[in-house]
Amino acid sequence: EPLRRWPVDGTTGYDALNDVTAVFVDPAGEEPLTELWHAVSGDERPFHGVALEARMHILRNVLAADLSRLANVFVQVCEDRRRYRDFTRRELREALVEVAASFPVYRTYVTEEGQAEPADREVVERAISAAAARRPDLDAELLDLLRAVLTGDAKGDAARGLRMRFQQLTGPTAAKGEEDTAFYRYHRFTPLNEVGGDPGRWGLSPAAFHARCAEAARSWPRRMTALSTHDTKRSEDVRARLLILAEIPGRWTEAVARWREANARHWRSSVERDPAMEYLFYQAVVGAWPIDADRLRAYMEKASREAKLRTSWTDPDRAYDEALASFVAGVRGDPAFVEAVETLVKGLLGPGRVVSLAQKLVQLTIPGVPDLYQGSELWDLSLVDPDNRRPVDFEARRALLAWVAEAVDEDGPAPAFAREVLGRMEEGAPKLWVVRQALRVRAERPETFEGAYEPLDVTGSGAGHVLGFLRGGDVAVVVPRLVVGLVRRGGWKDTSVALPRGRWKNRLTGERVESDGTGDGVDRLLARFPVALFTRERGETAG
């Protein structure tokens, strides 16, 4: 949903988060991973269908009291209009449920006086049309009346009350129905199940990503950008690792098949197996490994209760809860399963970390003001709260920063320092280094990051594996994407990216590049460090 021209600097960052995630998704993985989800879950509905059902559940249960109050006001609206007095309360309630559940956005912003922008009218029309198509038994005249109320065309105190209260209902319906319910029911590819995102949208091409960033630079240069927050369903590093699965769908499918067969014995025979929740468990294990049984048990309890299918916070099924906890403990304690997970994760570890570094550098340099969630300066393999509220080891971060400060002088790092940073990979030094250097560049050149966003021209057989852009004419970013596929095709070969003509310094390696503007080999630009952050040497002019 495009942000309207309100007197704000922008959003709180989840739109940027989802764009940055999506551009690192391999489109080739969509079909096989969708087929796997259908086969495992037995549910072939698209995300929209799952979300609609979840919204209905929220309206009829969690928000039932709010819905009843709204129906009372709707009754009064009909009483004020003789031709509508014969509609029953049940009919009014059903119309409200169907239209509220069909809202394509959180809410409209029609005023008390009934002033509606074209965007509001379009939203209402889409919701009314969807409700009418889904429920032909609902009276068309009743839906016409509701349309008039919601767009401000129907006047009167009751109509105004219904309109304003309805706008307060659709927001929590969407949030609780999708992010707090449907996201725990639909597990096709969980790195896409993120706040503000659409798990039904598979990915984003580099061209589309560039277009969205260019628009943000024009319209919202001071928006917030984020990758991890207090509310994300998975930390940025968990998502980055899981994104690799889209590049190896065959291997992942085979692993899941073996695990499902081997782990069937860990389900209690007295409780029906839950294949969808089991598939979520496997993704959580792989994404957050190494993770202990207590963290996994707490996560799966939350996930299953948020899903509200077999158990819930308000109506727990003790037998199911105990069976799920027993399954988690049994599988996590199974040496064969642990060995299999460690083998798989070993292959994901390196590529996942490259994606983490790439996403982090992109987030810190695209249009907007970056937000860093405490703890994410190093590798952080956290799941949803309360897992992401665990204590942060600030001493480790201080020690690494002190090491960097001692090793790097005012002129920046020597080319050999990048190798030293990569040598402390397990500690998370490469990620801290990217964060430190990107923030220093932002502090040095604030005007640059208020400036334009331009894609860099990429050519060659590996062009699809590069994301490159220019900020304000004097900061350039080059990162890899779809890194497993890059290795599979034999590396960069003839791939080049066209830095603008001039002298550039890589702030992550200390190397200097003299560019003629026609193209620089990506293999050379990324030879010493997985990602590159270039600044134009002072005294050079854009050209």
Side-chain angles (χ1 to χ4, degrees):
E1 178 186 12
L3 183 61
R4 303 188 191 187
R5 299 306 306 181
W6 290 323
V8 297
D9 283 327
T11 67
T12 55
Y14 291 108
D15 50 347
L17 180 157
N18 283 284
D19 286 347
V20 172
T21 298
V23 77
F24 289 94
V25 177
D26 189 345
E30 180 173 14
E31 183 176 348
L33 291 187
T34 300
E35 290 178 356
L36 174 60
W37 166 242
H38 291 168
V40 168
S41 67
D43 187 349
E44 297 191 1
R45 291 176 298 170
F47 175 71
H48 172 73
V50 176
L52 180 66
E53 179 185 72
R55 287 186 182 212
M56 296 280 195
H57 175 89
I58 293 298
L59 282 164
R60 298 186 190 281
N61 295 275
V62 180
L63 299 176
D66 303 81
L67 183 63
S68 293
R69 285 192 292 270
L70 214 58
N72 291 338
V73 181
F74 203 2
V75 168
Q76 187 57 54
V77 171
C78 292
E79 286 294 321
D80 293 344
R81 294 161 175 78
R82 180 173 299 177
R83 64 184 295 183
Y84 298 102
R85 290 176 180 172
D86 290 337
F87 286 110
T88 65
R89 181 181 294 272
R90 180 183 178 281
E91 289 175 301
L92 303 184
R93 186 183 177 94
E94 285 299 300
L96 291 170
V97 167
E98 293 291 339
V99 173
S102 300
F103 255 53
V105 296
Y106 273 88
R107 58 164 294 171
T108 51
Y109 301 90
V110 184
T111 66
E112 284 196 66
E113 295 74 25
Q115 297 172 329
E117 296 182 12
D120 292 317
R121 291 184 176 275
E122 180 184 355
V123 165
V124 172
E125 186 57 49
R126 286 176 62 185
I128 294 287
S129 297
R134 191 169 56 250
R135 290 286 302 275
D137 57 309
L138 293 177
D139 192 281
E141 286 195 351
L142 180 59
L143 291 177
D144 287 341
L145 174 60
L146 187 53
R147 176 192 291 109
V149 170
L150 299 181
T151 57
D153 293 338
K155 306 303 179 183
D157 291 343
R160 180 170 57 251
L162 178 57
R163 177 169 60 252
M164 302 309 290
R165 291 189 181 194
F166 188 89
Q167 292 181 130
Q168 295 171 346
L169 178 72
T170 54
T173 298
K176 294 180 180 296
E178 296 204 7
E179 294 165 7
D180 293 339
T181 304
F183 279 17
Y184 292 98
R185 296 181 177 184
Y186 184 84
H187 312 308
R188 177 179 68 155
F189 191 49
T190 57
L192 300 181
N193 292 28
E194 202 47 84
V195 178
D198 176 6
R201 180 186 78 167
W202 182 256
L204 202 61
S205 70
F209 178 81
H210 289 317
R212 291 174 71 87
C213 287
E215 174 57 30
R218 289 189 295 268
S219 301
W220 307 105
R222 297 185 181 182
R223 65 176 181 163
M224 186 180 288
T225 67
L227 278 185
S228 294
T229 76
H230 70 290
D231 206 29
T232 43
K233 305 302 183 186
R234 290 155 196 86
S235 70
E236 59 204 58
D237 296 324
V238 170
R239 291 199 307 275
R241 183 186 291 178
L242 289 173
L243 289 176
I244 303 301
L245 298 180
E247 296 197 68
I248 56 165
R251 186 178 176 192
W252 173 242
T253 299
E254 291 171 2
V256 170
R258 289 194 302 270
W259 294 345
R260 292 186 69 211
E261 180 179 1
N263 294 333
R265 61 192 176 87
H266 292 296
W267 280 101
R268 291 185 178 179
S269 58
S270 59
V271 174
E272 184 181 358
R273 189 175 186 177
D274 190 338
M277 200 56 60
E278 183 177 340
Y279 187 50
L280 173 63
F281 170 77
Y282 294 141
Q283 292 183 67
V285 169
V286 169
W289 191 265
I291 181 171
D292 61 41
D294 288 340
R295 287 176 59 202
L296 279 171
R297 186 163 49 246
Y299 172 71
M300 294 305 296
E301 178 186 51
K302 174 162 184 167
S304 60
R305 292 193 176 192
E306 295 287 1
K308 307 172 188 67
L309 290 173
R310 300 278 293 273
T311 187
S312 69
W313 296 112
T314 56
D315 186 20
D317 183 326
R318 298 301 180 189
Y320 173 85
D321 292 341
E322 291 172 3
L324 182 60
S326 176
F327 171 80
V328 170
V331 174
R332 179 59 182 83
D334 187 327
F337 177 75
V338 169
E339 181 180 0
V341 169
E342 289 180 340
T343 299
L344 179 66
V345 169
K346 184 178 181 181
L348 303 178
L349 199 58
R353 284 173 172 170
V354 171
V355 174
S356 287
L357 296 177
Q359 288 189 141
K360 199 69 203 172
L361 184 56
V362 169
Q363 182 232 340
L364 294 171
T365 52
I366 58 174
V369 180
D371 174 74
L372 287 87
Y373 187 59
Q374 286 187 338
S376 67
E377 307 89 357
L378 305 182
W379 309 130
D380 174 36
L381 300 175
S382 294
L383 301 172
V384 74
D385 69 283
D387 197 55
N388 62 8
R389 308 297 210 277
R390 289 173 294 142
V392 175
D393 186 349
F394 289 108
E395 284 304 315
R397 288 154 178 80
R398 292 189 186 99
L400 277 175
L401 282 171
W403 170 68
V404 169
E406 184 177 343
V408 178
D409 58 28
E410 290 186 2
D411 190 47
F417 185 66
R419 186 165 58 250
E420 294 182 41
V421 171
L422 292 174
R424 302 183 69 168
M425 179 70 75
E426 295 305 315
E427 298 173 75
K431 190 176 183 187
L432 187 77
W433 178 237
V434 167
V435 172
R436 178 191 190 270
Q437 293 302 91
L439 293 182
R440 282 178 173 253
V441 171
R442 290 188 68 100
E444 292 170 9
R445 308 184 184 215
E447 70 287 347
T448 294
F449 293 91
E450 294 274 339
Y453 175 100
E454 303 171 69
L456 291 172
D457 289 335
V458 183
T459 57
S461 56
H465 296 275
V466 183
L467 191 68
F469 54 87
L470 189 67
R471 294 303 319 277
D474 67 356
V475 171
V477 171
V478 178
V479 302
R481 60 186 293 270
L482 312 185
V483 293
V484 173
L486 175 65
V487 173
R488 191 181 295 132
R489 62 176 300 280
W492 293 115
K493 297 181 180 178
D494 61 338
T495 310
S496 66
V497 59
L499 294 175
R501 180 187 299 273
R503 290 191 300 273
W504 297 83
K505 182 176 181 179
N506 187 337
R507 301 297 291 272
L508 297 172
T509 66
E511 298 170 283
R512 285 176 166 82
V513 176
E514 184 79 33
S515 178
D516 63 6
T518 62
D520 301 276
V522 177
D523 56 349
R524 182 168 66 94
L525 298 180
L526 301 181
R528 293 181 180 270
F529 201 77
V531 299
L533 172 63
F534 295 99
T535 54
R536 189 187 293 273
E537 295 281 68
R538 294 296 189 183
E540 290 283 311
T541 56

